[in-house]
Amino acid sequence: MGWIVSGPATIDKSSKERKVVATIQTRCDELLKKFWEIEEIPRAVKLTSEEKRCEELFEEGVRRAEDGKFEVQLPFKQNVEVLGSSGVIAKRRFMALEKKLNRNADLRIQYHDFLRKYLELGHMEVVKDIRSVEGGYYLPHHCVLRPESSTTKLRVVFDASCKTSTSYSLNNILYTGPRIQDELVGILLRFRKYKYVFSADIEKMYRQIWVANSDRKFQLIYWRFNANEEVRTFALNTVTYGTACAPYLAVKCLQRIADLKEATHPNESQAIRSDFYMDDLMTGGDCLGEVVEMRRNLEAILLEFGMPLRKWCANNSQILEGIAKENIEGSLNIEDEELPVKALGVMWCPRSDVFSLKYKATEDGKFSKRSILSETAKLFDPLGFVGPVIVV
């Protein structure tokens, strides 16, 4: 489980080169240590020169579109001309995907429904003139199944790390941007501090942000809804899951909303700036009336920028008054049910307002460093509730 080095290496005495083969295996105790590092208090980190440049590019390229949503440019750190041909491998992977979908009717229906909705909402469109996207980048795609989700059971994800003929991928030439949201631990701790709390998430957060027309040719996919049709090229018009800059662009747009509303809605601005973890909101206060007002204001503010909130939960039914039933998490009935919901990776019971952990132990009876590591990995415990007993 430690260092492993090969035996004698055959060396040609006439050559000045010396070759030794070594295999380094990560120690299990080092991997285990990483589970506790999430509890460390974060330190202030200065932006690197690359992160500063990414921030500058965002400021130069962001604008409000006619529908109120943000439009952003992709933050390129290298000349796009280094990208080679990407169409061949993307088409080959599409054909393999299509064969897989044809073997599974249910999966095919879900995949088609997802991309049909993508098309209907204008989040992607057919490229009518292929010459207009010359020098662009094709994204291979596949699906991720999330049966536990109360909304989207299947999500199509795009592979912007796929290498082109020049060994560069789209992600290679994009800035990832700095981390600009609060740490998970801080958000959860503040959530426990309030007497009245609520949670929600932004519906299709990435796809509520347009990508500038000039950059859409770097978000191309191959697709067809019928095997009898010709494979066509589609352009993705919004911030795309799978690109290196997507999390940064989405969060930065939220921060921009907070800045724009600072003067008129300081409390809501602070919640937007500090109580979001990606698209998940967890916030509250100690006065019920103020919390109800903040909930309404947050809903209106984010909707103004094309970011509707859904999957609402709260520990008091008055906070949820006026929200459409389909936008409440699992049609939650706080008064009658003790129904746990997932909140930033931990289970939260709104009625009793407690956190819990969901865990099912294996019963094979065999124990080793590796099996213990596997078991502890199943417990996501960022606040260290069961830290003293997790290994025991």
Side-chain angles (χ1 to χ4, degrees), residues 55-324:
E55 294 267 69
E56 291 170 1
L57 289 173
F58 178 86
E59 295 298 331
E60 292 169 9
V62 68
R63 73 175 191 89
R64 290 284 297 281
E66 292 180 3
D67 60 0
K69 296 182 180 182
F70 287 108
E71 180 183 287
V72 297
Q73 293 181 346
L74 297 180
F76 289 106
K77 63 182 177 181
Q78 281 181 266
N79 194 312
V80 296
E81 292 178 2
V82 302
L83 288 175
S85 172
S86 57
V88 174
I89 187 169
K91 183 168 281 190
R92 187 165 66 240
R93 285 177 59 175
F94 167 71
M95 300 308 291
L97 169 71
E98 192 173 54
K99 288 180 181 177
K100 177 183 176 181
L101 296 179
N102 287 335
R103 292 194 298 267
N104 188 328
D106 184 53
L107 189 66
R108 183 177 70 249
I109 291 169
Q110 290 185 66
Y111 208 108
H112 282 224
D113 287 346
F114 187 96
L115 287 184
R116 190 172 284 108
K117 193 71 174 177
Y118 226 98
L119 190 62
E120 290 172 357
L121 293 171
H123 297 164
M124 76 175 187
E125 62 186 356
V126 178
V127 176
K128 296 177 181 177
D129 182 8
I130 295 298
R131 290 173 298 178
S132 67
V133 295
E134 286 181 358
Y137 181 85
Y138 282 87
L139 296 153
H141 49 95
H142 62 279
C143 65
V144 173
L145 294 171
R146 301 184 302 163
E148 75 284 353
S149 173
S150 60
T151 50
T152 309
K153 304 293 183 184
L154 176 143
R155 173 187 282 171
V156 175
V157 295
F158 304 91
D159 184 8
S161 294
C162 184
K163 305 285 187 186
T164 66
S165 57
T166 57
S167 295
Y168 281 92
S169 69
L170 179 63
N171 279 346
N172 288 150
I173 64 170
L174 288 173
Y175 287 114
T176 56
R179 184 184 182 90
I180 52 178
Q181 275 187 322
D182 277 10
E183 296 287 339
L184 181 69
V185 172
I187 295 170
L188 288 171
L189 284 175
R190 278 197 301 276
F191 189 73
R192 302 315 301 148
K193 184 179 73 172
Y194 303 124
K195 183 175 181 180
Y196 301 103
V197 291
F198 61 87
S199 68
D201 75 21
I202 298 172
E203 182 179 6
K204 301 179 178 66
M205 182 183 185
Y206 288 1
R207 289 161 55 188
Q208 308 297 357
I209 304 165
W210 300 111
V211 167
N213 271 312
S214 57
D215 290 344
R216 292 177 185 179
K217 71 175 185 178
F218 300 104
Q219 298 188 156
L220 305 174
I221 67 167
Y222 284 120
W223 181 250
R224 61 182 173 188
F225 289 101
N226 193 312
N228 298 322
E229 298 175 354
E230 183 181 351
V231 177
R232 291 188 291 178
T233 295
F234 291 80
L236 305 181
N237 299 332
T238 61
V239 170
T240 298
Y241 193 88
T243 55
C245 58
Y248 166 77
L249 291 174
V251 171
K252 191 65 179 177
C253 285
L254 270 183
Q255 303 277 328
R256 175 56 62 92
I257 294 172
D259 293 341
L260 293 172
K261 294 296 180 179
E262 181 72 49
T264 56
H265 295 86
N267 292 337
E268 289 77 8
S269 294
Q270 185 59 36
I272 292 171
R273 191 176 286 114
S274 303
D275 294 337
F276 265 102
Y277 192 79
M278 282 312 299
D279 59 346
D280 290 310
L281 171 66
M282 295 182 73
T283 190
D286 294 321
C287 172
L288 182 58
E290 290 177 1
V291 171
V292 171
E293 183 182 5
M294 181 168 70
R295 193 277 298 166
R296 290 172 180 164
N297 289 341
L298 281 170
E299 187 177 23
I301 289 169
L302 290 168
L303 193 59
E304 180 186 336
F305 292 85
M307 295 189 179
L309 289 167
R310 60 172 186 174
K311 296 170 74 172
W312 289 92
C313 280
N315 65 346
N316 187 292
S317 58
Q318 291 184 46
I319 299 172
L320 301 179
E321 286 179 1
I323 297 174

